[in-house]
Amino acid sequence: FPVTISKSICCFIDAEYTYDSDWASKLGVDNERVLLIKTNEAQKIFEGLVGRPKVNKATGKMTQTPGLLDMIREGHVITHVVKGKPVKLNLGKMGIIILDSVAAMAAPSEVSSEVGKVQVAPLSRFLTVELRKLTPAVADANVCFIAINHVKTQVGVMFGNPETTPGGAAWKHACSVMLMVAPMSGAENVLEDKNEEKYGHKIRVKVEKNKMGKPFKTAEFFINFTSGVAHKNEQLLDLGCLYNVIERP
């Protein structure tokens, strides 16, 4: 989470096991305000977020073990360890939860199955049910939940769009905003230094779905691999000219 923002905290679910705290620090992330969870098992991720049912052996009644979203809503304070140093986090200040990524998650049937056994859409079936539990819990906790997914190509599709996303259509129906992010091709869309070493590129972001505004809008901007959005001033001028706030001479 950026060092410049001193109030909120973040939860990063690293299902791809690729989060590097040292590299994140160089990019300006305050690791002490990032609750890092490393697991790719879909069942553990969802039980950790919304809780899991538990049977009381004495009474035989079913109870619900609180999940992370319940603790956020109630403002619990927890302690996590960053490079051997214990740090307290007030979950009531949680502003964003990031899942990286949907494609890396393993469904329960995949975790317990034999090696090489082929299954038909196990993650899609799992998400269809569990997202109905996650959506209201996220809304009650008043946090922003971002799920990163991959775009893959289906083999053998001769007509129509061959692109697909892992996890089926459940995420598309559950989300409020869906953004398609892709790099733009062409030498003019690449940032290079004097030694012709690439340090960034231009990307296009298209709003595929939007329940909070008008959909199907597109934005294009340069990304620097080490500092984020590049050429901010130039892009602000372009936006000003686009909406007639600024007139070009």
Side-chain angles (χ1 to χ4, degrees):
F1 219 45
V3 178
T4 54
I5 303 176
S6 59
K7 293 183 179 180
S8 298
I9 62 175
C10 168
C11 175
F12 191 90
I13 304 172
D14 186 18
E16 297 194 352
Y17 292 88
T18 55
Y19 185 86
D20 188 332
S21 57
D22 293 332
W23 178 245
S25 297
K26 292 179 181 179
L27 296 178
V29 176
D30 185 0
N31 286 298
E32 292 189 358
R33 293 191 288 120
V34 175
L35 177 62
L36 181 62
I37 300 173
K38 285 183 174 286
T39 180
N40 72 332
E41 295 186 28
Q43 183 174 351
K44 289 184 178 180
I45 291 173
F46 277 81
E47 286 181 349
L49 289 171
V50 301
R52 58 189 177 90
K54 184 179 180 182
V55 179
N56 189 324
K57 294 182 179 180
T59 61
K61 294 183 178 180
M62 185 77 71
T63 58
Q64 186 77 9
T65 303
L68 177 63
L69 293 168
D70 296 317
M71 293 189 285
I72 292 172
R73 189 174 62 252
E74 296 171 3
H76 288 213
V77 177
I78 65 171
T79 302
H80 74 131
V81 180
V82 179
K83 293 185 178 181
K85 175 185 174 183
V87 179
K88 288 187 176 182
L89 284 179
N90 183 357
L91 296 181
K93 295 183 178 180
M94 183 74 71
I96 185 171
I97 300 174
I98 302 171
L99 171 60
D100 183 25
S101 63
V102 176
M105 290 196 302
S109 58
E110 292 178 309
V111 175
S112 59
S113 67
E114 299 177 358
V115 176
K117 185 178 181 181
V118 179
Q119 300 186 32
V120 180
L123 185 59
S124 301
R125 296 177 179 181
F126 176 84
L127 291 175
T128 300
V129 177
E130 297 303 321
L131 283 177
R132 289 199 289 265
K133 305 175 187 177
L134 180 65
T135 303
V138 170
D140 290 342
N142 194 28
V143 296
C144 176
F145 190 94
I146 297 177
I148 302 172
N149 207 348
H150 299 175
V151 176
K152 300 182 182 293
T153 303
Q154 298 184 64
V155 179
V157 177
M158 300 180 63
F159 303 98
N161 186 6
E163 294 182 344
T164 183
T165 53
W171 282 107
K172 298 178 182 179
H173 295 299
C175 69
S176 298
V177 179
M178 184 168 63
L179 305 176
M180 178 69 73
V181 183
M184 299 177 64
S185 59
E188 70 278 5
N189 296 321
V190 177
L191 296 177
E192 294 182 345
D193 57 17
K194 296 179 180 179
N195 299 323
E196 297 184 354
E197 183 178 347
K198 297 179 181 179
Y199 66 91
H201 59 215
K202 194 174 187 179
I203 65 171
R204 178 184 288 116
V205 181
K206 183 180 179 181
V207 183
E208 298 283 350
K209 176 185 177 181
N210 194 354
K211 289 184 176 180
M212 307 175 71
K214 293 181 180 179
F216 310 121
K217 290 188 175 183
T218 303
E220 298 176 1
F221 50 90
F222 282 95
I223 288 289
N224 187 315
F225 298 146
T226 58
S227 62
V229 178
H231 305 161
K232 296 180 182 178
N233 293 335
E234 295 179 13
Q235 295 185 59
L236 287 174
L237 288 173
D238 290 340
L239 286 173
C241 295
L242 178 64
Y243 292 103
N244 298 322
V245 178
I246 301 173
E247 293 184 1
R248 291 186 182 274

